[in-house]
Amino acid sequence: MEFLRPATWDEALAAKAEHPTALPISGGTDVMVEMNFDVHRPPAILDLNRVTELTEWSNDGEVVRLGAAVPYSRIIDELSGPLPGLALAAHTVGSPQIRNRGGVGGNLGAASPAGDSHPALLAAGRDVLVEAASVRGTRLIPIDDFYVGVKRNCLEPDELIRAVRIPVADGPQQFSKIGTRNAMVIAVCAFGFALHPRSGTVGTGIGSAAPTPRRAVEAEEYLRDVLAERGLWESGELLGAEVIQRFGELVKAAASPIDDVRGTADYRRHALAVMARRTLTWTWNDYRKQIRSAA
Amino acid sequence: MNARTSAQNSAGTGAGTGARTSTGTSTGTGARTIQGQKNLQDIRQSSKDGIGGSPLRPDGTLKVRGEFAYSSDMWHEDMLWGMALRSPHPRANILSVDISEALAVPGVYAVLTHEDIPGAKYYGLEIADQPALAIDRIRYHGESIALVAADHPETARRAVKKIKVEYEVLTPIVTEEQCLDPETYGYVHEPHEYKSHAYGNICHEQKLVSGLGVTDEVRALADVVVSGTYEVGMQDQAFLGPESGLAVPAEDGGIDLYIATQWLHVDRQQMAPVLGLPEEKVRLTLAGVGGAFGGREDLSMQIHACLLAQRTGKPVKIVYSRDESFFGHVHRHPAKMYYEHGATRDGKLVYADARIVLDGGAYASASPAVVGNAASLGHGPYVVPNVRMHAIALYSNNPSCGAMRGFGAVQAAFGYETQMDRLAAELGMDPVELRQLNAMQQGDLMPTGQEIDAPAPVAELLRRVKDMPLPPPLDTDDLDVRLLPGALSNTSHGEGIVRGVGYSVGIKNVGFSEGFDDYSTARVRLEVIGGEPVAMVHTAMAEVGQGGVTVHAQIARTELGVEQVTIHPANTEVGSAGSTSASRQTYMTGGAVKLAAEAVKRELIEKGRRRYGWTQQDLTLAGGKVVSESAGALVSMVDLLGEDAIDLTREHHHRPTVPFDKETGQGFGHVQYTFCANRAVVDVDVELGLVKVVELTAVQDVGKALNPLSVVGQIQGGCTQALGLAVMEEIIVRDGKVRNASFTDYLIPTILDTPPIPVEILELPDPHAPYGLRGVGEAPTVSATPSIVAAIRNATGLALRRIPVRPEHLTTERPGEL
Ligand SMILES: Cc1cc2nc3c(=O)[nH]c(=O)nc-3n(C[C@H](O)[C@H](O)[C@H](O)COP(=O)(O)OP(=O)(O)OC[C@H]3O[C@@H](n4cnc5c(N)ncnc54)[C@H](O)[C@@H]3O)c2cc1C
């Protein structure tokens, strides 16, 4: 097995172009597990750990450009203000050791339906962009187009993830995840939710309940319309049980889960509805507080 | 050569401070204290690190710092790596095995099948029904078929993949119904292959009848009857150190094996015939053990590494990967149990009827003993005048099941304790009161007819656990999500949370039962080293984390009045120490160390009498001297010993027991009984079905706490493993195939799942046991699970007839709900 260690981003892209079957390794928290379990025997490994740009982030006030290898622990410590949903999701990943190594780039690279970043990224909005680069240039892939199948994303063989561009939160965001124990657990199912008052929209993301992470489109549209029609963004009135209930039902309907060792399809649907109702309630309560204190 | 564990070398140098402070031992305030009579040793004890003290374990710091040498860390110059090919099918005929391509891989030194075995082809803990390598038939998913030795693990792995096996895949026999109808579904072992009393696909069975048994007349005496069917999933020991060892061929044609195991001598006894060697040429030394819990009582890679070493003439190391480990050891028997209890209107038990079906999987392992425990302990620590019990272990094509902490008793306790709660509900009684009303005590008879001839403070344990202060209610104003169900997964900010409280009590036997003489041997040597008297303790006891080496040093200090004790590496140069299981090691090998040390003490004093003509009868050893109660210190041990060493070996046998009668289950079958009571407090998110155990209290009678800190550790560990069974731990098997052979999907409790575990210890001496002690390791594992499930029932109102309780059982699907 060849072990490629580019020192710079350009070298990394060149190496990937030359060895399109080389498996990138960043934190290694997926790659090493799969190698241990003998799932993968890639012909070559492309170690990205010397490429320091990947562990940097910047924030221009509108968009955070999150380097692919910024570890979860730093997302929690440094970015819970602009990216509250992702920071909450990061908090649920693995253990401190895993959060020190793993990052969003690896989560996207693995594209597991159970990856915890995904619901948060989807909820953060349709203008979340995965910055994929190759020697041929850079593609900005909308998050909705990124996941194409079970553990499959739309990267080309010569592409690497440089960063993810995520709009700075303009409203409350939440993330909730079910596991059969209280820490260090792969999601049975997960739900990300965000209010986007500026655009008058809401974002959702469903994890572990479909072949790919997915958005609950109808739930988003329903809530967007209710919020607009009833002037709730302005009034900050309570949503009412019926709206919350309906939203939960639509989220549930958007999922197409399976039975597996981690949980049943029925339970996943049920739990998604509960998480949807709760996260909506929490975010809306926060939003009400915000506009009250602003008023 | 790096095969010794560092834990073996320097036992008991710890500080031993503050061990009693937070543990609430029986010297605590308030409740009446029950204490063993202070004996002479206590009065004269000069070492704070003798028995009753809490010197720290020698391996503790090393393990925490990652410096402990586990069996998987061993290395030998020129060594090869062994690896097994395992079956992907649970039931199949092997039509052919072609090893030629594997042999051709550069770096491969040997590829073996059962045809290469020099000696006997079958082995087993109780029944030799398991082939060392599969012969023509596959009986479980993961059964090993062939072995490879190569110069690198990766080479071995690749070669294993090149072994070509042609299978005729058969439909596995996996359900109780299928097992019990071999005419239709087939035999796991053909009847002509049975090596014991098996019939059909029943590996072992035990019936029991006491009083009038259970008849219509007896049933008519009960005012209230509750009955139900209960199910226990397949738990795994989930030890963190995978099976591993290093086999080194010796010049005399024998073999030296460095191995993580629970019982060196029984390993050897099973290995030698297969290797075609006399036992004395198979020498075992204990390597660093990373947990056991019963899972290392059977052989795993022992024979395999030795076969490869014999063939290649080179040292061979085998280390299982995590997934292989799930196939490499037996699990806890899953159980289906029917229970029926009748009681009078005032709550007195009239009768109990039970049928316990344990799935033993493909090979017998410890199934007979598990059945014996389930049958004899399956009515709990209660006085039941009329009993009928039928316990069986099946042969099936599921993974083999055998020893795991509390076996037989754990499964049954979930059944009878659930029944007690239901009976209490039916009678409108407090569940603790109902239990106390029927609690057994010293002098009562077990359903086996055996008199409980040592303290059995069941009602007292319950009273104490109930009297412990409850944790404060959830503070909804100042929520810390880490304390809620789901914790940092952020599923609730207080919504849906309901608190529940549950109680339970359990009974477990200590030591091997039913006529088994599981004696222990200890050698103690006393000599002067560097101007100080030093005792060396040599046993074959497997230190698997229970703290045996610490306790041995404490016993030697107390008995010999020395401070310096070294622990010799455990090996087969000394006689058997029996297994580190059945809560027996402090009792049995500790007892042997005591006997050997006492003999050394007698000999030393005798030497003094001969030299100095002492006539006092009150001589003993303390503070490095021979002392007399009347005359004070007489001579230092250094002077008395001079250049001599006193080196004596003793065996310790527990009192004899007898097998249970096959039909009636009557007999003096158990050595000792042990009891623990628990209270669980849980918060349940009733909408999401997530559980957080808030507190798990344990009160246990330990007879005498030789090392109170270790005792508390054992009880807390046992409670945690019980918590795992209650709410998460299960090997999921579908059609005979294991679906979750990883720590990603076989979940064990993390620190966020593990609540505070307040422990109260009672010390009521058992007159039959050394120092009056009682084995402690298993009782809490038996009793704690039902208390947690009871607490979840209390919060949810659900019946919960199956463990582990999963989120869907509390929400979308509710098995066993009436
Ligand atoms: C004990 C444990 C617990 C875990 N718990 C969780 C959990 O709770 N939630 C969760 O979501 N995940 C969990 N994981 C999985 C893993 O930690 C995450 O998916 C993590 O985000 C992976 O990041 P990484 O940098 O370690 O990725 P790596 O393992 O380095 O890579 C993962 C994949 O992404 C590819 N890749 C990495 N970087 C790039 C890049 N720049 N461009 C293109 N492809 C790239 C790799 O080739 C590989 O296919 C856990 C893993 C372990 C071992």
Side-chain angles (χ1 to χ4, degrees):
Chain A
M1 191 186 295
E2 237 185 304
F3 192 62
L4 311 167
R5 297 206 70 200
T8 65
W9 182 237
D10 287 342
E11 277 180 37
L13 294 180
K16 188 65 173 141
E18 197 180 329
H19 306 270
T21 55
L23 185 70
I25 185 167
S26 180
T29 59
D30 277 318
V31 169
M32 293 313 295
V33 173
E34 298 211 328
M35 300 225 329
N36 259 332
F37 278 90
D38 215 10
V39 180
H40 272 314
R41 289 284 129 159
I45 295 255
L46 178 60
D47 178 11
L48 299 174
N49 281 279
R50 290 170 73 197
V51 183
T52 51
E53 303 95 292
L54 296 179
T55 60
E56 287 162 10
W57 59 265
S58 60
N59 178 357
D60 65 7
E62 293 289 317
V63 172
V64 173
R65 182 167 181 249
L66 178 70
V70 177
Y72 292 115
S73 53
R74 283 184 52 211
I75 296 176
I76 297 164
D77 291 343
E78 299 166 20
L79 290 166
S80 57
L83 306 177
L86 187 64
L88 279 169
H91 226 138
T92 75
V93 174
S95 57
Q97 293 91 327
I98 300 298
R99 294 195 286 272
N100 284 338
R101 291 290 306 161
V104 173
N107 219 223
L108 288 167
S112 158
D116 289 322
S117 310
H118 313 315
L121 293 176
L122 285 165
R126 289 181 184 270
D127 32 12
V128 170
L129 301 169
V130 179
E131 196 179 317
S134 69
V135 287
R136 297 175 289 115
T138 295
R139 278 204 296 160
L140 294 180
I141 307 166
I143 193 71
D144 284 87
D145 299 339
F146 185 77
Y147 312 106
V148 295
V150 180
K151 299 198 175 186
R152 274 179 34 239
N153 58 37
C154 68
L155 291 181
E156 298 292 337
D158 63 345
E159 280 180 327
L160 292 171
I161 300 168
R162 168 65 184 83
V164 193
R165 300 186 185 185
I166 310 162
V168 171
D170 63 323
Q173 303 187 347
Q174 280 290 346
F175 176 85
S176 214
K177 156 176 163 182
I178 303 284
T180 11
R181 72 179 166 195
N182 290 314
M184 260 282 274
V185 68
I186 302 294
V188 171
C189 56
F191 185 68
F193 182 70
L195 294 175
H196 302 300
R198 237 182 327 175
S199 57
T201 60
V202 305
T204 60
I206 292 174
S208 273
T212 65
R214 68 162 67 148
R215 188 181 291 289
V217 178
E218 282 181 42
E220 288 182 1
E221 288 170 354
Y222 164 75
L223 199 58
R224 180 197 61 202
D225 294 349
V226 168
L227 294 175
E229 283 160 17
R230 304 189 189 172
L232 292 168
W233 288 115
E234 297 75 27
S235 73
E237 294 287 309
L238 285 171
L239 295 175
E242 194 191 322
V243 170
I244 295 169
Q245 185 69 25
R246 177 89 186 118
F247 177 71
E249 289 305 314
L250 289 170
V251 168
K252 175 178 173 172
S256 38
I258 54 166
D259 289 340
D260 65 16
V261 293
R262 291 177 194 151
T264 62
D266 274 355
Y267 175 76
R268 287 183 158 106
R269 280 195 205 90
H270 166 83
L272 278 169
V274 176
M275 288 190 291
R277 295 199 298 264
R278 289 184 183 177
T279 51
L280 170 55
T281 307
W282 301 336
T283 48
W284 191 253
N285 284 345
D286 285 347
Y287 176 71
R288 295 176 67 214
K289 274 187 219 139
Q290 279 172 21
I291 60 165
R292 296 259 158 92
S293 60
Chain B
M1 186 68 235
N2 175 26
R4 291 187 178 177
T5 91
S6 23
Q8 304 292 313
N9 299 329
S10 59
T13 48
T17 49
R20 276 175 186 262
T21 49
S22 62
T23 61
T25 61
S26 57
T27 48
T29 52
R32 183 168 53 94
T33 293
I34 306 178
Q35 268 277 19
Q37 273 193 323
K38 281 202 182 293
N39 56 25
L40 200 61
Q41 280 90 348
D42 284 336
I43 294 166
R44 289 185 182 156
Q45 189 170 312
S46 56
S47 170
K48 67 176 170 30
D49 288 344
I51 65 163
S54 289
L56 296 182
R57 43 198 297 167
D59 49 332
T61 310
L62 293 169
K63 283 177 176 167
V64 170
R65 294 165 65 110
E67 291 164 357
F68 183 81
Y70 288 101
S71 54
S72 51
D73 298 324
M74 291 186 291
W75 182 87
H76 197 293
E77 213 172 304
D78 211 19
M79 80 183 182
L80 303 177
W81 295 79
M83 206 163 285
L85 170 71
R86 291 174 180 274
S87 167
H89 310 292
R91 185 173 179 227
N93 288 324
I94 300 174
L95 303 179
S96 67
V97 182
D98 179 359
I99 61 170
S100 53
E101 266 187 52
L103 264 177
V105 174
V108 168
Y109 282 70
V111 182
L112 309 180
T113 68
H114 74 90
E115 288 174 1
D116 302 295
I117 293 175
K121 299 209 173 183
Y122 291 84
Y123 72 93
L125 206 51
E126 299 189 20
I127 301 168
D129 64 351
Q130 181 157 5
L133 289 168
I135 305 170
D136 303 336
R137 282 241 260 168
I138 294 297
R139 296 191 179 85
Y140 73 96
H141 178 204
E143 180 153 15
S144 34
I145 299 165
L147 303 170
V148 170
D151 56 9
H152 191 279
E154 191 53 37
T155 311
R157 172 137 73 169
R158 254 179 264 152
V160 161
K161 287 197 170 153
K162 295 210 151 119
I163 301 172
K164 294 212 174 67
V165 183
E166 227 184 313
Y167 299 97
E168 179 195 355
V169 178
L170 304 171
T171 307
I173 307 161
V174 292
T175 66
E176 179 185 345
E177 187 203 348
Q178 291 165 354
C179 292
L180 295 183
D181 184 3
E183 294 300 312
T184 310
Y185 297 97
Y187 288 89
V188 178
H189 299 260
E190 295 300 325
H192 71 267
E193 298 173 321
Y194 288 142
K195 300 203 169 70
S196 68
H197 308 296
Y199 68 93
N201 284 314
I202 294 178
C203 169
H204 191 82
E205 80 176 323
Q206 177 67 57
K207 292 178 183 163
L208 185 149
V209 183
S210 75
L212 302 171
V214 178
T215 60
D216 287 348
E217 291 79 55
V218 169
R219 281 200 168 92
L221 299 173
D223 302 316
V224 185
V225 173
V226 291
S227 66
T229 304
Y230 306 96
E231 210 179 311
V232 179
M234 186 186 289
Q235 190 180 20
D236 190 72
Q237 297 83 357
F239 42 68
L240 298 188
E243 291 84 346
S244 42
L246 176 65
V248 186
E251 277 175 7
D252 65 353
I255 204 138
D256 292 288
L257 178 68
Y258 301 85
I259 181 71
T261 183
Q262 287 181 237
W263 186 356
L264 292 166
H265 286 76
V266 88
D267 281 7
R268 174 164 80 169
Q269 193 185 317
Q270 295 172 87
M271 291 163 62
V274 181
L275 303 176
L277 290 172
E279 279 198 13
E280 61 274 14
K281 286 207 169 172
V282 182
R283 294 166 292 256
L284 276 69
T285 301
L286 188 72
V289 183
F293 313 109
R296 292 186 211 272
E297 204 161 75
D298 285 89
L299 296 179
S300 57
M301 43 55 67
Q302 283 89 330
I303 289 175
H304 295 170
C306 291
L307 286 172
L308 290 169
Q310 271 182 318
R311 171 62 73 99
T312 59
K314 283 171 174 285
V316 174
K317 172 173 172 173
I318 294 183
V319 181
Y320 286 178
S321 60
R322 177 56 57 198
D323 55 333
E324 188 173 18
S325 176
F326 278 97
F327 297 100
H329 60 258
V330 298
H331 317 289
R332 187 189 294 295
H333 287 69
K336 289 210 170 71
M337 307 179 286
Y338 171 79
Y339 269 94
E340 180 182 320
H341 281 85
T344 61
R345 212 172 308 284
D346 52 5
K348 273 281 186 193
L349 291 172
V350 174
Y351 74 90
D353 196 12
R355 174 182 156 83
I356 298 179
V357 180
L358 301 150
D359 185 350
Y363 296 106
S365 178
S367 278
V370 179
V371 167
N373 279 3
S376 58
L377 306 169
H379 291 292
Y382 303 112
V383 176
V384 194
N386 305 294
V387 165
R388 183 171 64 178
M389 163 67 81
H390 187 191
I392 62 172
L394 303 170
Y395 272 133
S396 73
N397 293 119
N398 288 318
S400 291
C401 290
M404 182 174 173
R405 199 176 196 167
F407 66 52
V410 162
Q411 293 90 336
F414 176 62
Y416 63 70
E417 284 301 86
T418 304
Q419 286 279 106
M420 289 304 121
D421 284 340
R422 293 182 54 212
L423 194 56
E426 194 71 28
L427 290 162
M429 275 179 82
D430 176 88
V432 172
E433 260 170 50
L434 175 82
R435 286 175 169 86
Q436 287 174 315
L437 186 67
N438 292 289
M440 62 170 47
Q441 52 185 334
Q442 186 163 3
D444 284 333
L445 297 185
M446 291 290 288
T448 58
Q450 181 172 3
E451 185 189 330
I452 313 273
D453 56 1
V458 177
E460 173 71 8
L461 297 174
L462 285 161
R463 184 183 72 72
R464 284 169 180 258
V465 82
K466 199 174 176 187
D467 283 351
M468 299 271 265
L470 279 163
L474 201 61
D475 181 355
T476 41
D477 294 331
D478 184 23
L479 282 174
D480 178 347
V481 288
R482 285 173 304 178
L483 302 180
L484 297 178
L488 287 171
S489 292
N490 192 38
T491 46
S492 169
H493 294 173
E495 300 93 331
I497 311 269
V498 181
R499 180 153 292 189
V501 179
Y503 291 90
S504 63
V505 62
I507 179 171
K508 178 70 185 44
N509 60 316
V510 172
F512 283 26
S513 305
E514 298 190 59
F516 204 98
D517 181 18
D518 53 318
Y519 69 94
S520 283
T521 317
R523 174 182 157 224
V524 172
R525 179 184 174 90
L526 184 66
E527 65 192 313
V528 178
I529 298 175
E532 258 197 280
V534 177
M536 188 270 290
V537 178
H538 183 189
T539 74
M541 177 206 65
E543 171 61 61
V544 304
Q546 84 277 20
V549 292
T550 318
V551 160
H552 288 181
Q554 290 179 262
I555 293 172
R557 282 191 202 101
T558 291
E559 296 303 333
L560 295 172
V562 299
E563 279 302 316
Q564 295 302 320
V565 182
T566 57
I567 302 291
H568 191 284
N571 59 25
T572 48
E573 282 168 20
V574 66
S576 175
S579 178
T580 302
S581 63
S583 306
R584 64 176 285 289
Q585 271 308 16
T586 301
Y587 188 130
M588 290 307 300
T589 307
V593 173
K594 178 170 187 273
L595 287 179
E598 284 168 347
V600 167
K601 168 161 69 179
R602 274 196 303 276
E603 186 155 323
L604 183 65
I605 290 173
E606 218 28 66
K607 185 181 166 90
R609 286 191 201 282
R610 283 196 303 273
R611 186 184 296 173
Y612 301 108
W614 299 325
T615 52
Q616 294 92 335
Q617 291 307 304
D618 58 355
L619 301 180
T620 191
L621 306 178
K625 301 186 180 67
V626 180
V627 297
S628 154
E629 196 116 305
S630 46
L634 296 177
V635 65
S636 78
M637 287 157 66
V638 171
D639 289 342
L640 183 51
L641 275 165
E643 300 283 293
D644 296 346
I646 300 177
D647 192 325
L648 296 173
T649 300
R650 288 292 180 272
E651 275 180 13
H652 179 219
H653 298 254
H654 57 65
R655 53 185 178 160
T657 59
V658 300
F660 297 122
D661 181 87
K662 281 263 139 257
E663 292 301 315
T664 66
Q666 298 300 295
F668 192 97
H670 292 307
V671 178
Q672 186 187 50
Y673 295 100
T674 164
F675 308 92
C676 181
N678 293 93
R679 180 184 66 205
V681 178
V682 303
D683 281 336
V684 181
D685 184 331
V686 296
E687 283 183 88
L688 287 173
L690 301 177
V691 175
K692 166 86 183 172
V693 181
V694 174
E695 187 187 77
L696 183 55
T697 306
V699 183
Q700 185 170 336
D701 173 24
V702 304
K704 163 82 186 164
L706 263 56
N707 183 320
L709 184 63
S710 280
V711 162
V712 169
Q714 281 291 310
I715 295 172
Q716 292 177 329
C719 286
T720 306
Q721 211 151 20
L723 185 158
L725 178 60
V727 295
M728 64 183 82
E729 291 191 38
E730 182 173 8
I731 293 200
I732 297 171
V733 183
R734 294 273 183 274
D735 302 324
K737 289 200 184 185
V738 174
R739 299 276 310 276
N740 57 339
S742 75
F743 278 157
T744 309
D745 286 315
Y746 183 88
L747 301 181
I748 56 178
T750 69
I751 192 67
L752 270 181
D753 301 282
T754 309
I757 305 179
V759 174
E760 190 180 355
I761 294 170
L762 261 62
E763 295 184 281
L764 305 183
D766 177 344
H768 311 286
Y771 303 113
L773 74 85
R774 224 178 261 281
V776 296
E778 293 173 294
T781 312
V782 174
S783 57
T785 302
S787 71
I788 295 165
V789 184
I792 302 172
R793 284 192 200 103
N794 181 238
T796 61
L798 297 170
L800 304 179
R801 303 284 170 79
R802 185 184 198 283
I803 46 174
V805 175
R806 298 178 56 89
E808 54 266 32
H809 298 164
L810 301 176
T811 51
T812 49
E813 78 184 66
R814 296 173 170 187
E817 296 307 319
L818 298 173

